[in-house]
Amino acid sequence: MSWLRRYAAELAVTVAVLVGSLFAVLDDGAKPAHHAAIGWVLTVLCCAALFFRRTYPLSVAGLTLVCCALYYPLTDPDGLVLLAFAYALFNAAAAGRIRGAALLVVAAMAGVAVGEVSSRTGRHVDNFAFFLMTGWFVALVAGGAVAHYRAEAERTKEAEARARATDERLRIARELHDALGHHLALINVQAGAALHRRDPVQAEEALRTVKDASKTALQELRATLGMLRTERPALDRVAELARSVGTSGLTVRTEIDGVVRDLPPDVEHAAFRVVQEALTNVAKHAGAQTVVVRLGYRADELSVQVDDDGRGGDAPPGNGIRGMAERARALGGEVTAAPREGGGYRVRARLPVR
């Protein structure tokens, strides 16, 4: 039963306390019990409180301490109610209420000390037992604290693992979108051109472009599904992108600002995907004639700017722009996409180089 598994520890402690208290009474049966009814009420109350220790760990520990403080001075013979307090104390520390549990230990030992000093019948707890009890309680709090920090470490590790898995899924999704979206859009454009061109030579050229784009798409798909372990696309493939888009009738110019230098692979990869997605959107939606790709090399960042002379207007939100923005944010940069003054559209990315 699920409830039996859930409350197995509480049931075990309850049975130990009740059976131990019963044996204490039977073992001392020759002497009349002192306030036996009060003792059993406190024992049952103390054990019942343990079943609420998950919701109110510190309150349950405090209640069991109060029960012990009433039980031992008022009743005779002594049972095992202290075991319930020990379990509640450990649980409070394991639940993260470490300071509260430590204060309960101080209160418990202070109560024992005051009771021993003010007792009219002599001491019931000698020095050795007093220090042994103190050490026992301190060990329980320390053990609970260790259990708490271990659980926190496990939860943190699991959260980090989930975050890494989520990031990996997003990265694969971006790779699939960027790798396939460009080529499929190009295939769509060229297939439409082939259907509407009556000149067999032009139609054949469009179909050849469709063949080349589909071959490249399959290659990139295999690379992506191969756990993305192949070499990432770099900026030296921008010219290849320009040629593939140019077959659809666009004129693509590439301009370089600054001194070309080696960049971190993540930066080059993100820049390549930004250019690829921007050119794909131009070919699909812009109705442009000319596209200018500018790469700006600065000391601490790389800028990517793609301008077209198309119809402009607000672009509908989609996975492409969102994917570009996610790549840039992952590197501490940003992407803006907006119509240009005087017509056309501009995509600009700023990618820090660390």
Side-chain angles (χ1 to χ4, degrees), residues 3-353:
W3 67 269
L4 186 60
R5 289 194 297 269
R6 177 177 174 82
Y7 296 107
E10 291 85 347
L11 289 171
V13 175
T14 298
V15 170
V17 171
L18 294 177
V19 172
S21 299
L22 181 61
F23 272 109
V25 171
L26 295 177
D27 187 57
D28 204 32
K31 299 179 182 179
H34 186 59
H35 294 159
I38 295 177
W40 284 111
V41 169
L42 291 172
T43 301
V44 172
L45 177 62
C46 193
C47 292
L50 297 179
F51 291 85
F52 298 92
R53 54 102 180 176
R54 290 180 176 83
T55 309
Y56 310 104
L58 193 59
S59 299
V60 168
L63 178 60
T64 56
L65 176 59
V66 171
C67 290
C68 290
L70 296 174
Y71 178 87
Y72 287 104
L74 295 179
T75 64
D76 187 57
D78 295 338
L80 296 182
V81 180
L82 192 63
L83 181 61
F85 169 63
Y87 176 71
L89 186 67
F90 174 85
N91 176 75
R97 310 299 196 273
I98 300 172
R99 293 182 179 178
L103 290 176
L104 289 179
V105 171
V106 173
M109 300 318 299
V112 172
V114 171
E116 290 297 301
V117 171
S118 60
S119 176
R120 297 179 179 179
T121 58
R123 296 189 61 179
H124 298 83
V125 180
D126 58 23
N127 291 338
F128 177 76
F130 180 84
F131 288 115
L132 185 64
M133 185 183 301
T134 302
W136 183 40
F137 287 156
V138 170
L140 287 171
V141 174
V146 171
H148 168 70
Y149 288 123
R150 282 181 177 174
E152 284 292 313
E154 287 297 324
R155 283 192 289 269
T156 301
K157 188 182 299 183
E158 291 175 1
E160 290 175 349
R162 286 194 297 269
R164 285 195 299 270
T166 300
D167 291 342
E168 184 65 15
R169 286 196 298 271
L170 290 174
R171 188 167 75 91
I172 293 174
R174 287 195 298 265
E175 286 295 324
L176 286 172
H177 176 272
D178 294 345
L180 299 182
H182 170 77
H183 300 292
L184 292 178
L186 187 60
I187 290 171
N188 179 266
V189 171
Q190 293 295 335
L195 287 174
H196 292 89
R197 288 175 181 172
R198 297 183 178 180
D199 186 352
V201 176
Q202 292 181 340
E204 182 180 353
E205 181 181 351
L207 291 174
R208 188 179 296 109
T209 303
V210 169
K211 178 183 177 181
D212 293 340
S214 61
K215 179 180 179 181
T216 305
L218 289 173
Q219 291 173 344
E220 295 217 19
L221 177 60
R222 283 195 294 268
T224 302
L225 296 181
M227 301 305 291
L228 305 177
R229 297 184 186 276
T230 57
E231 184 179 356
R232 294 184 174 186
L235 288 177
D236 55 9
R237 288 184 56 190
V238 169
E240 177 186 333
L241 279 179
R243 286 194 300 271
S244 66
V245 175
T247 58
S248 64
L250 280 172
T251 299
V252 183
R253 296 202 317 268
T254 303
E255 298 179 358
I256 305 294
D257 293 334
V259 179
V260 177
R261 68 182 191 278
D262 291 335
L263 298 172
D266 287 346
V267 175
E268 289 215 20
H269 183 221
F272 176 85
R273 292 306 189 192
V274 168
V275 174
Q276 184 181 54
E277 181 60 32
L279 292 178
T280 300
N281 290 338
V282 172
K284 289 170 60 178
H285 308 297
Q289 299 296 321
T290 304
V291 185
V292 180
V293 178
R294 292 185 177 90
L295 302 177
Y297 289 83
R298 304 289 183 268
D300 57 351
E301 71 176 26
L302 172 71
S303 64
V304 179
Q305 183 171 304
V306 181
D307 295 332
D308 68 72
D309 60 358
R311 63 177 63 95
D314 293 329
N319 292 328
I321 294 178
R322 183 163 55 247
M324 288 190 288
E326 288 174 353
R327 289 182 185 280
R329 281 198 300 270
L331 298 172
E334 60 182 357
V335 168
T336 57
R340 294 194 309 162
E341 293 183 5
Y345 203 79
R346 169 174 292 172
V347 173
R348 191 173 193 281
R350 184 184 60 82
L351 305 173
V353 177

